Amino acid sequence: MAKGKGTRAVHAGVKPCEATGAIMTPIYQTSTYVQEGVGNHKGYEYSRTLNPTRHALENALAELEGAKHGLAFGSGLAAMDNLIKILKPGDEVISTDDLYGGSYRLFTTVFENYGIKFNFIDLSDMDALKSAVNQNTRMVWIETPTNPMMKITDIKAISEAVSGNDVLVCVDNTFATPMLQLPLAQGADVVMHSATKYLGGHSDVVMGCLMLNDDDLDLKLRTLQNSCGAIAGPMDSFLVLRGIKTLHLRMQRHCENGKAVVEFLNSHPKVERVYWPGLESHPGHDVAKRQMSDFGGMISFTIAGDNIETAHKFVEAVEIFTLAESLGGVESLIGHPATMTHASIPKEVREKVGVTDGLIRLSLGVEDSEDLIADLSRAFDKL
Ligand SMILES: *Cc1c(COP(=O)(O)O)cnc(C)c1O
């Protein structure tokens, strides 16, 4: 029976404990498992290899993304690290020029040292993609919507253009979550999440995951996960299992707040530009409308003048919004990418894609939109 997103969010991957009837998956805080005889165990031998709490979460994550397999790691970047390690020296990856700062750092400062080449292009330009693909290309790394410019990439078009040919199409689905976007159904091969963000949803855990359908690739990734060891712990797995039970409700509110705040910003005289895929004027709006069921609660904007001083003044003037890195929690956050999340990206590189000195990013929480708008309004008045 095909189930709706909400039903899946609540029930995916979990069942009551057979021994006790406990409705919530226990936190199996254990490193090892008793064997009744040599090799005679219940499927668990050592918790780096597999732990029952992590196992339940991995199944839940797979079900949410409509995937056959799920793997959970100690952070989003650990999940990416595990995936890139299937590549060999000489292999090439094509990625977006508006990439999450930590992903850019992982690619350029770590994996380039191991002989893997990264080519950052505008993935909304299909001609640029076609001319970037060569015989060494093994992976296309998509982020959509991107962080923080909210650029939209057409997952289906890219999958049709390069998939097969020994090229894996991988999508960082952190911003959209499986509630708004299902990349595997659009032809992608692997989905990655920083579960730290919306999946966990409460700013209390750092975690990452990979979801995919291919059995051989799953075996490779699991072997790497066990060999390198950057696994998600049982307590953190429990927290994310709990988080995803309300993912559909939270995403609905994040999207509603996104729409309301964008309307406010768009009509405010001190605002220069607003970046949100739900705007009809957004260059990726048509693709977003096709591949997403709603537009999310991440917004970037610039204030007239577009400079560091005004931006810093603004982010320090708000009271309900909290000045912090990260996103996707129940509380609204405000950030200044140029000096926070994107500080590790060279100024020329970030400005080329639009991360100007004055850009401000909002992660809308699930508070009342009237209060959020009043808070922003007060901050504008103080400028
Ligand atoms: C946070 C984030 C990551 C990295 O995840 P961590 O859990 O912080 O390691 C990757 N991609 C995006 C889009 C993110 O927001």
Side-chain angles (χ1 to χ4, degrees), residues 206-218:
V206 173
M207 193 192 284
C209 53
L210 299 174
M211 287 80 122
L212 64 153
N213 285 321
D214 187 84
D215 295 337
D216 293 338
L217 182 58
D218 177 61

Side-chain angles (χ1 to χ4, degrees), residues 57-376:
L57 174 68
E58 290 182 334
N59 289 337
L61 291 167
E63 201 172 326
L64 277 185
E65 281 288 350
K68 205 165 153 194
H69 307 288
L71 299 93
F73 298 88
S75 71
L77 290 179
M80 291 175 68
D81 174 75
N82 199 88
L83 179 59
I84 302 294
K85 281 177 180 155
I86 65 171
L87 302 179
K88 296 187 181 63
D91 287 349
E92 297 189 14
V93 179
I94 296 171
S95 189
T96 168
D97 56 12
D98 177 25
L99 192 64
Y100 172 73
S103 307
Y104 180 84
R105 187 178 52 206
L106 176 68
F107 291 168
T108 56
T109 70
V110 179
F111 281 110
E112 278 185 355
N113 288 337
Y114 292 83
I116 296 163
K117 205 175 144 205
F118 295 87
N119 194 354
F120 301 96
I121 64 168
D122 180 357
L123 280 181
S124 56
D125 179 350
M126 291 304 291
D127 292 332
L129 173 72
K130 280 177 191 149
S131 54
V133 174
N134 64 39
Q135 67 205 25
N136 296 323
T137 307
R138 288 291 161 271
M139 192 179 280
V140 178
W141 185 270
I142 300 172
E143 208 181 293
T144 182
T146 59
N147 176 30
M149 299 314 296
M150 312 298 151
K151 280 203 325 208
I152 299 294
T153 295
D154 191 332
I155 300 168
K156 192 153 175 261
I158 290 189
S159 301
E160 283 170 0
V162 305
S163 206
N165 304 329
D166 215 5
V167 178
L168 288 175
V169 175
C170 307
V171 179
D172 182 337
N173 204 24
T174 302
F175 270 37
T177 83
M179 291 300 138
L180 308 186
Q181 175 171 282
L182 293 167
L184 297 178
Q186 317 259 350
D189 301 294
V190 182
V191 169
M192 170 264 165
H193 278 272
S194 169
T196 312
K197 316 296 167 52
Y198 289 107
L199 297 185
H202 296 74
S203 308
D204 52 9
V205 65
V206 173
M207 193 192 284
C209 53
L210 299 174
M211 287 80 122
L212 64 153
N213 285 321
D214 187 84
D215 295 337
D216 293 338
L217 182 58
D218 177 61
L219 185 61
K220 262 193 207 169
L221 292 171
R222 251 169 236 287
T223 304
L224 277 167
Q225 184 189 38
N226 189 38
S227 304
C228 301
I231 49 159
M235 177 72 198
D236 289 351
S237 296
F238 171 85
L239 286 171
V240 174
L241 268 172
R242 183 168 72 165
I244 58 182
K245 287 179 191 297
T246 55
L247 182 62
H248 55 306
L249 299 172
R250 288 186 284 110
M251 288 316 292
Q252 190 182 339
R253 184 62 164 255
H254 290 302
C255 291
E256 286 166 13
N257 283 349
K259 188 161 186 281
V261 168
V262 161
E263 271 166 22
F264 164 76
L265 290 173
N266 233 359
S267 60
H268 198 285
K270 287 185 185 165
V271 173
E272 203 169 80
R273 272 192 301 273
V274 181
Y275 302 92
W276 188 63
L279 285 170
E280 269 174 41
S281 58
H282 187 288
H285 179 68
D286 289 339
V287 176
K289 229 166 65 182
R290 184 155 28 85
Q291 76 184 8
M292 301 174 76
S293 59
D294 208 338
F295 304 109
M298 295 301 302
I299 301 168
S300 292
F301 69 99
T302 55
I303 299 172
D306 196 356
N307 60 64
I308 289 196
E309 294 70 33
T310 316
H312 277 183
K313 220 164 152 184
F314 187 86
V315 300
E316 284 164 17
V318 287
E319 286 167 19
I320 295 174
F321 282 86
T322 309
L323 178 62
E325 296 204 0
S326 199
L327 60 111
V330 289
E331 62 288 306
S332 290
L333 301 181
I334 191 164
H336 182 239
T339 49
M340 294 169 72
T341 48
H342 288 59
S344 59
I345 299 184
K347 185 174 157 88
E348 325 77 75
V349 178
R350 67 170 163 79
E351 289 205 327
K352 220 164 64 190
V353 297
V355 184
T356 52
D357 283 348
L359 190 80
I360 291 170
R361 193 192 73 177
L362 303 177
S363 167
L364 299 171
V366 298
E367 301 96 332
D368 296 297
S369 61
E370 297 80 6
D371 294 332
L372 297 177
I373 289 169
D375 194 28
L376 296 170

